[in-house]
Amino acid sequence: MPERVESTDPDGVDYGWVMQMTFVVTVTAGAVLVAALSAFVTLPTWGARASFAIRVGAVIWIVTALAAYYYERNVRAE
């Protein structure tokens, strides 16, 4: 079993933190947002529902990732 890493001191952007926050925020806020937005769209089949969730989820994911990266680079790093 490898040694447990207790803390890190990255130079510059902590990409691990960015990936973790992107995942957590996208899952928690993204699920609610996709569900809320689907109330305004007619989705007659399961394929249409899946396609809608993927398209909207992708936009939410990229916006969340860019926001987390910006926050880490400009706010947390200082």
Side-chain angles (χ1 to χ4, degrees):
M1 184 145 198
E3 290 290 324
R4 188 163 193 183
V5 176
E6 297 296 327
S7 64
T8 62
D9 188 21
D11 293 330
V13 175
D14 184 358
Y15 293 104
W17 182 89
V18 171
M19 289 189 304
Q20 288 174 349
M21 288 299 104
T22 299
F23 176 78
V24 170
V25 172
T26 300
V27 169
T28 56
V32 173
L33 192 55
V34 168
L37 290 174
S38 69
F40 303 107
V41 179
T42 303
L43 301 168
T45 65
W46 282 105
R49 292 173 187 158
S51 178
F52 177 81
I54 290 169
R55 287 192 320 261
V56 174
V59 172
I60 293 168
W61 177 82
I62 194 70
V63 168
T64 304
L66 292 172
Y69 178 80
Y70 175 81
Y71 180 78
E72 168 63 22
R73 183 172 177 173
N74 295 320
V75 177
R76 278 191 79 214
E78 292 177 354

